[in-house]
Amino acid sequence: MKLYNFPWGPYPRRVALYLAEKGITDIEQIEVEFPHQPELWPENFLFKLNPAHSLPVLDTGNGMLIGQSIAILEYLEERYPFPNMLGETSEDRARTRELVAIFDEATSFFGLWARQGSRVNAERHTPSAEAALIGAERFASKLRVGEAKFVGPFMNGSRHTIADCVAMALIEFVDQFYGVPVPADCPKLADWYLRLSNSATIRSPRYPQEMLSLAYGLPEQTQIFL
Ligand SMILES: N[C@@H](CCC(=O)N[C@@H](CS)C(=O)NCC(=O)O)C(=O)O
């Protein structure tokens, strides 16, 4: 199998965290330049990989390309069932998937805030303060749902699941790249984030310095404080 990825984006990072936690080392990792510069790629390279032009993409080695991070996590969970990172019972798996969906939605709404409000995206989008505010408010409300559904000590109880990978990839990115702290009314998430940040399998990715210096301080740039 081959994984096309880059190290620091919130969607790619989900898979990187999963591989590290699971101890999977036999998937070839191919690092792709980001931001995407299609003119630098071999002809149609990423389009062939994924019509959405997004990363990560998993080449399963048997004729299939998977271009959605959650589908990749679930696929890998079937190929590498131990240790189980989805859940033992139907209820357990449903809870993990529910948490995954909550933090996936939060990631999309955060993307709206960042795309419409951050200096780092100014070349790609005409900023809209109104859209940025909608994104920020919806992002915060999804985190509150995550707080209410959090089981502890991990997202879904006593073991690390794919929900921890999806949530961690988001919270870490939002904090480290954009300078957005966990909202004060989500103390369980804040505590979980602190604990996991210090665990052996989670080492912060290196962010491109030039982009980081533009991105950092999103609340101040948009005057939206959660
Ligand atoms: N829903 C997709 C989203 C993937 C995604 O948007 N990835 C970003 C990187 S973090 C990307 O490649 N964006 C392409 C672009 O902005 O041009 C997934 O879960 O894999």
Side-chain angles (χ1 to χ4, degrees):
M1 281 195 272
K2 287 183 194 165
L3 176 69
Y4 295 84
N5 221 355
F6 69 99
W8 54 273
Y11 297 98
R13 182 85 173 133
R14 296 171 174 182
V15 183
L17 288 172
Y18 174 84
L19 296 180
E21 189 56 38
K22 197 98 175 183
I24 297 173
T25 53
D26 60 349
I27 296 177
E28 185 185 350
Q29 300 212 31
I30 297 164
E31 197 170 319
V32 178
E33 185 79 24
F34 192 88
H36 299 338
Q37 290 178 283
E39 65 278 11
L40 300 182
W41 297 331
E43 200 177 347
N44 285 335
F45 169 69
L46 200 63
F47 185 74
K48 274 191 207 144
L49 281 179
N50 185 359
H53 292 194
S54 69
L55 294 165
V57 173
L58 183 74
D59 178 344
T60 61
N62 52 15
M64 189 176 180
L65 295 169
I66 309 176
Q68 286 288 335
S69 59
I70 296 169
I72 292 172
L73 296 178
E74 292 243 11
Y75 176 81
L76 290 176
E77 211 31 38
E78 289 188 22
R79 295 278 300 257
Y80 300 83
F82 305 107
N84 182 325
M85 284 181 65
L86 192 56
E88 295 289 354
T89 64
S90 303
E91 289 72 21
D92 227 9
R93 288 189 287 276
R95 239 190 334 264
T96 299
R97 291 186 172 115
E98 186 181 40
L99 284 157
V100 164
I102 291 165
F103 286 95
D104 189 47
E105 289 173 357
T107 307
S108 301
F109 283 117
F110 181 78
L112 183 62
W113 181 12
R115 275 180 182 241
Q116 299 295 333
S118 169
R119 293 183 303 211
V120 81
N121 295 312
E123 275 178 20
R124 299 207 290 172
H125 299 276
T126 309
S128 157
E130 197 183 350
L133 183 60
I134 293 170
E137 287 177 347
R138 298 292 288 151
F139 163 67
S141 83
K142 294 295 169 187
L143 290 194
R144 284 183 211 114
V145 178
E147 173 83 7
K149 290 279 180 176
F150 178 86
V151 179
F154 293 100
M155 275 289 147
N156 186 16
S158 59
R159 69 167 68 176
H160 205 119
T161 63
I162 61 171
D164 294 273
C165 300
V166 171
M168 187 66 189
L170 170 66
I171 304 285
E172 177 194 62
F173 178 68
V174 157
D175 172 42
Q176 297 181 358
F177 191 67
Y178 281 105
V180 175
V182 177
D185 57 0
C186 297
K188 290 187 230 162
L189 287 187
D191 173 65
W192 161 89
Y193 173 52
L194 196 66
R195 276 187 290 111
L196 259 66
S197 305
N198 292 319
S199 73
T201 45
I202 298 180
R203 290 278 163 267
S204 298
R206 265 188 294 117
Y207 303 97
Q209 198 51 48
E210 209 174 303
M211 291 179 82
L212 179 63
S213 55
L214 282 174
Y216 203 83
L218 184 64
E220 294 75 14
Q221 287 172 34
T222 54
Q223 287 299 297
I224 301 170
F225 300 91
L226 302 179

